[in-house]
Amino acid sequence: MIGKFRLYPKEDGFVSFIWLIFILIPIIAMFPYDNVDKQLALATLGIFVVTYRNCLFNGKWFPFWMALMYGISLFYTMYFGYIYLFIYPAWMIGFIPMKKHVFKYYYIALLCTLTPVPFGLSQLPEYVTQDLKITIFVYGFFICAAPFAGRSIRKQAELRKQMYQSTQRMEYVIKQEERYRIARDLHDTLGQSLSIMTIKTELAGKLLDKDSERAKKEIAEVAETSRGTLQTVREIVSSMRHVLIAEEMITIEKSLRAAKIILSTEGEELTAELATDLQNTVSYCLRECVTNVIRHSRASHCRIIIEKSGVNYIFTVADDGKGMKDSIQGNGLMGLKERIESICGKLEFTQKNGMKVIFTVPVDKKEEPIND
């Protein structure tokens, strides 16, 4: 069965073809195509575009296509002075995933292909000025550096992908741990309590006609156990409503990424020391600050800094947006202030080169209930 034809690799997208816009330079420069040489050069350029497209797929014919790109680039450099065509194969060998020793072979081949260029400059037509020769030399320098730049960018892209996958795995582990904790609580408390209630209820039913006083005592103990179990259920439900800062940071990172805002953090490891109820309130505050960044700031970068100073924890949410100007008292900041004050903390903000919200939380204070 013949596979579906693809113009470009799915993972790269059409952006790989945007760089071909520079091919228009020789196409326009050679117009009109009034002789065989120009027509042959145009056909060769078409082959170059097809070769570039085939190299993007990095298949078993990749060495052949790369050699063809080298040859066509050298042809255009020697006869027309268009050395910049070498940028395409130079970038390709850096951006395409390959082992280090294989990359070395392709790079050496690139340098060997460029070797005749300095000797061929003297053979260029007289209309090629000294300035153009300098331009060719500058392009040659960038061509030699392009493979390393492409390789660096590819490694950064792979690192970002690995970090994203690590975040996804961490989120899954956190959810699994929470499920296991709930399962343990249910098994250790509800399971045992319900078993005791079942036994005592059966015993009370048997003693009802023989020893009514003892039956009443057993039923009273069942009622007491039931009340204790109900309290345990309430505690489990209450603990499920708490959101840890580590969990909230995962949600924050996803929200900012969806809004195309870069997130950087400092001091996240300090949050593990905070009590659960305190983390729940701080998580809400961080969420509210980030929501304001997404909705109102038009920022491109957001920083969350967590610091410890004595018995206080200092949380800073800063962005490089336009600030909020006259809408400071709105946008959820009043609710944020109430939340911070409920744990005896304080809130301050500044608007210089963006918005910066700072709230200080004392860890030796108990959280006070607040009505939602």
Side-chain angles (χ1 to χ4, degrees), residues 15-167:
V15 67
S16 302
F17 273 67
I18 293 178
W19 302 108
L20 289 176
I21 192 173
F22 294 104
I23 298 294
L24 293 176
I25 297 176
I27 292 177
I28 296 174
M30 289 186 296
F31 187 84
Y33 306 103
D34 50 3
N35 57 57
V36 177
D37 291 341
K38 290 184 178 181
Q39 294 170 2
L40 177 62
L42 181 63
T44 306
L45 203 58
I47 297 174
F48 183 87
V49 173
V50 174
T51 302
Y52 173 80
R53 176 260 175 192
N54 292 342
C55 283
L56 291 174
F57 288 89
N58 193 21
K60 64 180 181 178
W61 290 95
F62 180 80
F64 169 77
W65 297 123
M66 284 298 302
L68 189 56
M69 286 184 74
Y70 284 163
I72 296 175
S73 300
L74 182 61
F75 166 76
Y76 267 85
T77 302
M78 301 297 288
Y79 288 93
F80 299 98
Y82 295 141
I83 191 174
Y84 69 85
L85 282 182
F86 271 106
I87 288 288
Y88 292 96
W91 179 265
M92 187 74 68
I93 64 176
F95 197 74
I96 293 295
M98 61 178 65
K99 295 181 179 180
K100 189 174 181 179
H101 69 278
V102 178
F103 167 80
K104 187 185 300 182
Y105 294 148
Y106 279 109
Y107 187 73
I108 293 174
L110 175 66
L111 296 180
C112 292
T113 309
L114 286 171
T115 301
V117 173
F119 304 100
L121 292 179
S122 59
Q123 305 298 324
L124 290 175
E126 294 181 358
Y127 63 81
V128 178
T129 64
Q130 184 67 24
D131 291 340
L132 182 55
K133 292 181 179 180
I134 295 175
T135 302
I136 291 175
F137 173 78
V138 173
Y139 265 112
F141 173 78
F142 281 103
I143 288 170
C144 293
F148 298 99
R151 195 167 178 85
S152 176
I153 292 175
R154 180 181 60 81
K155 288 182 178 179
Q156 292 177 6
E158 291 177 351
L159 182 60
R160 286 194 296 268
K161 183 178 180 180
Q162 291 174 1
M163 291 177 64
Y164 173 76
Q165 292 173 341
S166 297
T167 302

Side-chain angles (χ1 to χ4, degrees), residues 248-249 251-257 259 261 263 283-297 302-304 316-319 324 331 333 336 357 359:
E248 188 61 38
M249 291 300 293
T251 304
I252 287 174
E253 196 274 336
K254 284 186 175 180
S255 301
L256 289 173
R257 190 192 314 124
I261 299 176
L263 171 67
S283 295
Y284 171 86
C285 297
L286 291 174
R287 185 189 317 135
E288 185 63 35
C289 290
V290 171
T291 300
N292 286 333
V293 171
I294 294 173
R295 290 180 178 176
H296 309 291
S297 71
C302 177
R303 294 183 66 197
I304 298 179
T316 303
V317 180
D319 64 73
M324 298 185 187
N331 300 313
L333 289 181
L336 180 61
V357 180
F359 49 94

Side-chain angles (χ1 to χ4, degrees), residues 234-276:
R234 288 173 177 170
E235 291 175 356
I236 294 175
V237 172
S238 177
S239 66
M240 289 174 62
R241 295 177 61 186
H242 288 159
V243 179
L244 299 179
I245 296 176
E247 296 173 345
E248 188 61 38
M249 291 300 293
I250 295 175
T251 304
I252 287 174
E253 196 274 336
K254 284 186 175 180
S255 301
L256 289 173
R257 190 192 314 124
K260 298 182 179 179
I261 299 176
I262 299 173
L263 171 67
S264 60
T265 64
E266 296 179 21
E268 281 190 62
E269 66 279 359
L270 297 175
T271 60
E273 304 173 6
L274 295 176
T276 303

